[in-house]
Amino acid sequence: MNKRLELVSGEPSRNLPISSHKTQFATFSIFSEALAFLAALIVMSLVSLFLSGAVRADEQDAFLSGFTTDKFADTEKTINTLAVSGLPMAAPILEALAGDRLLFDPESKALLIRKSESQFIAAIDGHIEDAIEADDLKKVRVNNAVRRALDAALGSLTLMSPDPAKRLAAAESAYKSHDPATLDLLQQAIEKENDAKVKRMQLAARAAIQALDPQASDSDRLSAIDLIKARGDQDALGLLSKLAASSEGAMKAAAESGIGSIRATLALWGNVQNIWYGLSLGSVLLLAAIGLAITFGVMGIINMAHGEMVMIGAYTTYVVQDLIRTKIPSLFDYSLLIAVPLAFVVTAIIGMLIERVVIRYLYGRPLETLLATFGLSLVLQQAVRTIFGANNREVGAPSFMAGSFELGGLVITYGRMWIIIFALMVFAILQLVLRATSFGLRMRAVTQNRKMASAMGIDTNRIDALAFALGSGIAGMAGVALSQIDNVSPNLGQSYIIDSFMVVVFGGVGNLWGTLVGALTLGVANKVLEPFIGAVLGKIVMLVFIIMFIQKRPRGLFALKGRAVEA
């Protein structure tokens, strides 16, 4: 036992026999060799990983260098190689190239991606690169052939993306490029796709490729033509036109039949699109004319300064957005909601001042009223030029009014859609005010018979001032809407004053329902005539029509009833 304990010190006891010394030394020798072997394996593994990483980096640099030769052929070849490389940075590199953000250093041949004006990352690994001089860099150039290769490459990278939006975009790209190289990948994507909308687009992309492929069977190509014809859009028309020009026999006949069908469909949707544009224009005319209908109907005033109330409302929107941009940028999406009541208050106050200072002394004198309000319009225009300058002012659109969506073959912009909704809301609220409030009852009484209303104790002077303020305030709200679709300038109101009078006269003086029908009718008629005879001649035709119409119906479509108005 004592002999065994002496081994703990690590030194052999002098009293141990020679055989015991040999056993200990053999054990330590084996243990040391095992440690050395493990250490060698670890070192070799680390060296192997390092060398393999270096080899991969060299290989990546080798085929990415095609972007730095500034030759279109090399760029196209590199795109195709990158698309199948499996590199993590493949998609960002191709997206940067598509976005004109892929640059290289002509001296070092370093490939960089621009993230912002002053920030660049290395295309090879995504690391941020410091001390980069943007002036020393050169953009990777593209031409039509490179763009086609780029679209196909991006499509192949994103057809299998977990994001349905990216898969849809990839299918649309494949449909437009109809590159045969993506056919196999499309087939795989179609088999795995669960989203119905994405799958329809993928099937259309496959059909576009098969229809133009002379190696495909006739049955597949004819089925593809039917599928393309069913889409009925401009891309389908271009595709079938290309196919008809390069085919013969049954294939050519099928393509031409599809072309005729698509043209008929596009013509139908074109007419629907023009009607939509007409409704949009009509809503703008409604907003501009509804306030004029009130003042003209209640007071019989031809207010030539009404367009300037619209202009002041637009400038109120500009001031609100300018303050929000500089003070509270986070509220920009609410700028129009803030501007609408402010524009109403500002223009209503200005309108009441005009009525109290100028108009009240000119009742019963229509010629003098017309001249006075025309002079006021010039004064207001010059005042705005003095304060804001003669140049157009920028008014931005909130995020909820940006962009568009498609409904069949109809393209609907969110901005126009919200303006139509806003115009109808203003009309409905105004109807509620006129029908359900004491002020509305008194105003309708004054409109129908001023003398009888005065005899019944209604303060007609007060009603006149409030009606003029209401009409001016609604014109100010119209300016908020018009700031989203027209230039905000001192001449903004002049573009709508004549059309507003046409709407009021056509619909019936003082009748809001007539104003609604008149605005929408004139708006749609204008847009339907424009493609055939042009915008200017279309306005002339509408003006002649209204002149002839009021000769037959002097009171408009919906004439007011009452002893005074019928006298």
Side-chain angles (χ1 to χ4, degrees):
M1 177 68 69
N2 292 334
K3 292 178 181 178
R4 291 176 184 173
L5 290 174
E6 286 176 357
L7 292 175
V8 176
S9 63
E11 297 180 358
S13 173
R14 294 177 181 177
N15 298 322
L16 287 175
I18 295 175
S19 61
S20 297
H21 285 292
K22 289 181 178 180
T23 303
Q24 291 180 25
F25 284 126
T27 302
F28 283 119
S29 177
I30 294 171
F31 182 69
S32 300
E33 289 177 358
L35 286 176
F37 179 71
L38 288 174
L41 283 178
I42 293 171
V43 171
M44 290 174 65
S45 299
L46 291 174
V47 170
S48 175
L49 287 172
F50 176 77
L51 290 176
S52 63
V55 169
R56 283 195 300 269
D58 289 341
E59 291 174 352
Q60 293 173 16
D61 282 334
F63 70 73
L64 287 182
S65 64
F67 286 126
T68 64
T69 62
D70 205 23
K71 294 180 180 179
F72 293 129
D74 291 344
T75 301
E76 184 178 354
K77 181 179 178 181
T78 306
I79 289 171
N80 295 329
T81 305
L82 189 60
V84 297
S85 66
L87 286 179
M89 289 297 292
I93 291 172
L94 295 179
E95 289 170 358
L97 181 59
D100 206 24
R101 296 181 292 106
L102 190 64
L103 306 96
F104 68 94
D105 188 335
E107 294 184 3
S108 66
K109 301 298 182 181
L111 192 65
L112 302 168
I113 297 174
R114 185 196 296 273
K115 301 297 289 183
S116 65
E117 287 298 323
S118 58
Q119 186 181 36
F120 299 86
I121 63 172
I124 192 67
D125 53 17
H127 289 164
I128 296 175
E129 295 288 339
D130 298 323
I132 297 295
E133 292 292 337
D135 295 338
D136 297 335
L137 301 179
K138 188 174 182 179
K139 289 182 180 179
V140 178
R141 298 183 302 135
V142 297
N143 60 5
N144 290 336
V146 171
R147 288 190 186 94
R148 286 193 294 269
L150 183 59
D151 289 341
L154 283 171
S156 65
L157 282 173
T158 52
L159 277 171
M160 298 297 186
S161 170
D163 185 357
K166 289 185 177 180
R167 297 199 304 273
L168 180 62
E172 289 173 348
S173 176
Y175 175 69
K176 292 177 180 179
S177 65
H178 38 81
D179 184 2
T182 61
L183 184 59
D184 292 339
L185 190 61
L186 266 172
Q187 188 62 45
Q188 297 174 24
I190 291 170
E191 293 173 357
K192 297 179 180 179
E193 187 57 62
N194 296 320
D195 189 296
K197 183 178 180 181
V198 176
K199 192 166 188 174
R200 282 196 302 272
M201 193 67 242
Q202 291 173 344
L203 289 170
R206 184 180 67 180
I209 296 171
Q210 289 177 336
L212 294 175
D213 185 7
Q215 304 299 323
S217 65
D218 288 348
S219 60
D220 287 343
R221 296 184 74 187
L222 290 173
S223 298
I225 290 173
D226 290 338
L227 187 57
I228 294 168
K229 181 174 70 174
R231 286 188 59 82
D233 55 11
Q234 287 289 351
D235 290 327
L237 180 61
L239 191 65
L240 291 183
S241 298
K242 183 178 179 180
L243 179 60
S246 60
S247 302
E248 295 180 354
M251 210 63 60
K252 184 181 182 69
E256 289 177 345
S257 173
I259 290 171
S261 174
I262 291 175
R263 283 178 175 165
T265 302
L266 290 177
L268 175 62
W269 280 114
N271 292 329
V272 175
Q273 188 76 58
N274 286 332
I275 292 173
W276 168 255
Y277 289 150
L279 292 175
S280 176
L281 175 61
S283 67
V284 171
L285 294 177
L286 174 64
L287 285 172
I290 198 169
L292 188 64
I294 292 173
T295 56
F296 198 14
V298 174
M299 302 156 62
I301 296 297
I302 302 174
N303 181 18
M304 295 300 293
H306 184 77
E308 278 54 54
M309 298 298 106
V310 175
M311 178 261 293
I312 291 172
Y315 272 96
T316 302
T317 309
Y318 162 72
V319 172
V320 168
Q321 287 199 352
D322 190 52
L323 289 174
I324 287 177
R325 281 193 184 101
T326 55
K327 304 296 183 182
I328 321 173
S330 59
L331 291 180
F332 185 80
D333 277 348
Y334 303 96
S335 59
L336 294 189
L337 298 179
I338 298 170
V340 166
L342 282 177
F344 178 86
V345 171
V346 170
T347 51
I349 291 173
I350 294 174
M352 184 174 288
L353 287 174
I354 291 174
E355 196 279 334
R356 291 288 87 183
V357 174
V358 179
I359 303 297
R360 66 179 300 188
Y361 301 106
L362 299 174
Y363 287 128
R365 300 157 64 185
L367 181 59
E368 288 88 340
T369 303
L370 187 149
L371 293 174
T373 53
F374 178 71
L376 277 173
S377 72
L378 298 179
V379 170
L380 291 172
Q381 286 182 45
Q382 191 56 46
V384 169
R385 283 192 184 92
T386 303
I387 297 171
F388 297 100
N391 295 330
N392 297 339
R393 295 293 173 176
E394 179 187 359
V395 175
S399 59
F400 64 88
M401 294 185 70
S404 63
F405 65 95
E406 293 187 8
L407 184 62
L410 184 65
V411 179
I412 299 176
T413 59
Y414 287 109
R416 293 279 184 174
M417 183 188 71
W418 281 113
I419 288 175
I420 292 176
I421 293 172
F422 177 67
L424 295 177
M425 287 176 60
V426 170
F427 180 83
I429 292 172
L430 188 58
Q431 284 284 5
L432 184 64
V433 169
L434 294 180
R435 301 289 174 182
T437 66
S438 175
F439 165 70
L441 178 63
R442 286 170 169 77
M443 194 173 80
R444 285 187 289 126
V446 172
T447 301
Q448 293 181 14
N449 194 323
R450 176 178 289 272
K451 292 182 179 179
M452 184 60 72
S454 179
M456 295 297 293
I458 296 175
D459 186 351
T460 55
N461 288 332
R462 180 172 178 271
I463 294 298
D464 287 340
L466 291 176
F468 202 90
L470 177 62
S472 299
I474 293 173
M477 292 195 294
V480 177
L482 287 174
S483 69
Q484 298 299 302
I485 60 174
D486 208 337
N487 296 324
V488 178
S489 69
N491 299 321
L492 173 64
Q494 294 298 307
S495 305
Y496 296 94
I497 185 65
I498 302 301
D499 288 341
S500 298
F501 275 111
M502 288 171 59
V503 167
V504 172
V505 171
F506 178 65
V509 175
N511 191 306
L512 296 186
W513 283 105
T515 303
L516 173 65
V517 174
L520 296 180
T521 301
L522 292 181
V524 171
N526 263 307
K527 290 300 179 182
V528 169
L529 287 174
E530 275 184 15
F532 301 100
I533 59 177
V536 175
L537 191 57
K539 281 189 176 295
I540 293 174
V541 170
M542 293 307 303
L543 183 59
V544 172
F545 166 75
I546 290 176
I547 291 172
M548 296 174 65
F549 177 81
I550 60 177
Q551 287 180 347
K552 298 294 184 181
R553 293 181 65 93
R555 296 179 190 161
L557 281 174
F558 301 93
L560 285 174
K561 298 183 182 298
R563 292 175 182 171
V565 296
E566 292 175 357

